Amino acid sequence: MKAVRFHGQKDLRYEDIAIPKPGKGQVKLKPSWVGICGTDLHEYLGGPNLCPTTPHPITGEQVPLTFGHEFSGVIEEAGEGVYDYKPGDRVVVQPIIYDGTCGACLEGLINCCYSNGFVGLSGWGGGLSEHVVVPTSTLYHLPDNVSLEVGALVEPLAVGWHAVNVSPYKAGDAVLILGGGPIGLSVIQALKARGAGKIIVSEVSPRRREYAKQFGAHHVLDPAKDDIVAKCRELCEKQGVHVVFDCAGVQAGLDQAVHAVRARGTIVNVAIWEKPCSIHPNDLVFKERRYTGVATYVKGDFQEVIDAISSGKMTPHNMITKKIHLNEVEEKGFKTLINDKDNQVKVLVEVGGGR
Ligand SMILES: [Zn+2]
């Protein structure tokens, strides 16, 4: 079968590999649509970082590895002991790989597993291949009224959903979101789905500011021109916002965030940073501000996102800005996202499951 595998920096190959067989408690599925993620781009441009170069503690695999961790698909074959899933079922894959035995996992924090990994980054194949085998614990059924295309958006939406779940945000709070990329847009939609108060987005790209508005931001600011701190105070009772979601991961944004958040407010970091940043602890101390990190999602987030889409509380379809085929991933997918970043949100790869 064909697969897109990551061999190393700027070395992505469309190549033939063996078709996997489902074992006990596993299913073989044909991916339908696969999103390309910022994490994939980081690996391609500067990696391997997350992709293991020595055997991963759970999968035992290392590069070259099949890419693709945001995907929907159709079950082709159920392995031994699998009764909840049958050929033809439409599903999405929650790609976290966890050991289920460490302290974090035992507390339900599978996203913080001390050995964690991802389908499509750490082994067990990935969405960018004609077939993939995963354990049924990764699967969620898609309701009839949610398309396989939109199914591929559940993973990035779950990141934003989880960030809001874990944050101290409560209905009616004012929020500042730094960055209007796919994750910033996911946070906006998660907030809208629960009746957001005031959503302010800071984003340099005009096209991305348009997207932010389209998905429900009440105020969009340009950090190159606007004074973000002054604007946030002006819009929020001269105090600033209750919660900041940092979906950009740049020092200049953090410098503003620290002063744009009110007393006892919280800065939630969702971004993956390329290098360390600095923060003056006194800026937290004297206003009792908090700074916290969130990572991916836990069990429950995927189902909540699927339910929000199915019930019409979220309508994420317009996040899809381009569709390509499996043999075009590097040229029309990765290179488009690198060179035409401002005009793209999600590039989806059609693999063919469910057609
Ligand atoms: Zn664990």
Side-chain angles (χ1 to χ4, degrees):
M1 68 170 184
K2 291 290 184 196
V4 175
R5 292 207 302 169
F6 174 66
H7 284 253
Q9 198 171 343
K10 291 191 181 161
D11 185 359
L12 203 57
R13 302 186 201 168
Y14 178 63
E15 57 192 357
D16 286 295
I17 60 168
I19 297 176
K21 276 193 163 310
K24 197 175 174 187
Q26 299 176 327
V27 298
K28 181 168 98 175
L29 61 96
K30 186 162 188 70
S32 303
W33 294 91
V34 188
I36 301 174
C37 169
T39 308
D40 300 323
L41 297 179
H42 281 298
E43 290 297 304
Y44 174 76
L45 289 172
N49 296 317
L50 281 175
C51 291
T53 51
T54 55
H56 184 273
I58 298 175
T59 68
E61 297 175 53
Q62 63 192 82
V63 285
L65 294 163
T66 304
F67 262 176
H69 59 273
E70 305 179 352
F71 63 106
S72 59
V74 176
I75 308 275
E76 296 180 293
E77 189 184 339
E80 188 195 331
V82 174
Y83 306 107
D84 315 349
Y85 296 90
K86 57 183 191 310
D89 283 5
R90 301 154 72 252
V91 295
V92 290
V93 173
Q94 177 190 274
I96 297 185
I97 295 172
Y98 56 98
D99 58 19
T101 55
C102 75
C105 284
L106 292 175
E107 289 180 14
L109 307 175
I110 59 167
N111 58 332
C112 303
C113 174
Y114 293 104
S115 302
N116 84 338
F118 289 87
V119 175
L121 286 169
S122 324
W124 292 0
L128 291 172
S129 62
E130 292 177 294
H131 311 276
V132 61
V133 164
V134 291
T136 54
S137 57
T138 65
L139 299 176
Y140 290 82
H141 274 117
L142 274 180
D144 289 342
N145 69 349
V146 179
S147 71
L148 286 159
E149 271 178 51
V150 166
L153 301 174
V154 170
E155 198 271 0
L157 288 167
V159 173
W161 191 272
H162 177 73
V164 174
N165 265 359
V166 172
S167 78
Y169 170 82
K170 34 183 207 327
D173 278 357
V175 170
L176 169 65
I177 297 168
L178 302 175
I183 297 303
L185 296 179
S186 296
V187 172
I188 295 173
Q189 291 173 83
L191 290 166
K192 288 296 276 189
R194 317 163 197 218
K198 195 172 286 168
I199 304 174
I200 305 165
V201 173
S202 171
E203 164 61 52
V204 280
S205 147
R207 187 73 191 92
R208 289 190 162 195
R209 285 202 297 276
E210 276 308 308
Y211 281 121
K213 222 181 259 173
Q214 194 187 319
F215 282 105
H218 302 106
H219 305 274
V220 289
L221 306 176
D222 176 0
K225 284 209 303 253
D226 297 315
D227 181 336
I228 305 298
V229 177
K231 281 275 183 191
C232 284
R233 287 187 185 159
E234 185 188 313
L235 291 167
C236 309
E237 305 91 38
K238 299 197 174 130
Q239 284 216 73
V241 298
H242 297 84
V243 184
V244 176
F245 291 94
D246 186 352
C247 305
V250 293
Q251 183 69 50
L254 179 58
D255 292 341
Q256 294 158 342
V258 167
H259 296 284
V261 71
R262 65 175 60 198
R264 284 248 172 130
T266 303
I267 299 158
V268 180
N269 179 67
V270 197
I272 305 291
W273 291 68
E274 278 178 0
K275 42 185 189 225
C277 59
S278 68
I279 194 162
H280 199 312
N282 291 354
D283 288 332
L284 304 180
V285 170
F286 291 120
K287 297 289 179 291
E288 297 194 346
R289 295 175 174 123
R290 292 155 223 208
Y291 185 88
T292 185
V294 295
T296 62
Y297 27 75
V298 292
K299 285 180 178 165
D301 292 319
F302 261 56
Q303 193 59 55
E304 287 172 27
V305 167
I306 291 167
D307 292 346
I309 297 170
S310 183
S311 67
K313 284 186 184 157
M314 279 206 282
T315 48
H317 191 270
N318 287 344
M319 290 174 81
I320 303 166
T321 47
K322 187 174 176 150
K323 296 179 195 173
I324 62 171
H325 296 288
L326 191 57
N327 61 354
E328 303 171 322
V329 170
E330 183 172 19
E331 286 305 315
K332 294 193 179 170
F334 280 64
K335 289 187 180 167
T336 296
L337 285 167
I338 291 160
N339 300 323
D340 186 30
K341 179 175 157 232
D342 289 351
N343 290 309
Q344 300 295 334
V345 180
K346 271 292 156 196
V347 174
L348 289 196
V349 182
E350 181 172 23
V351 181
R355 253 196 327 215

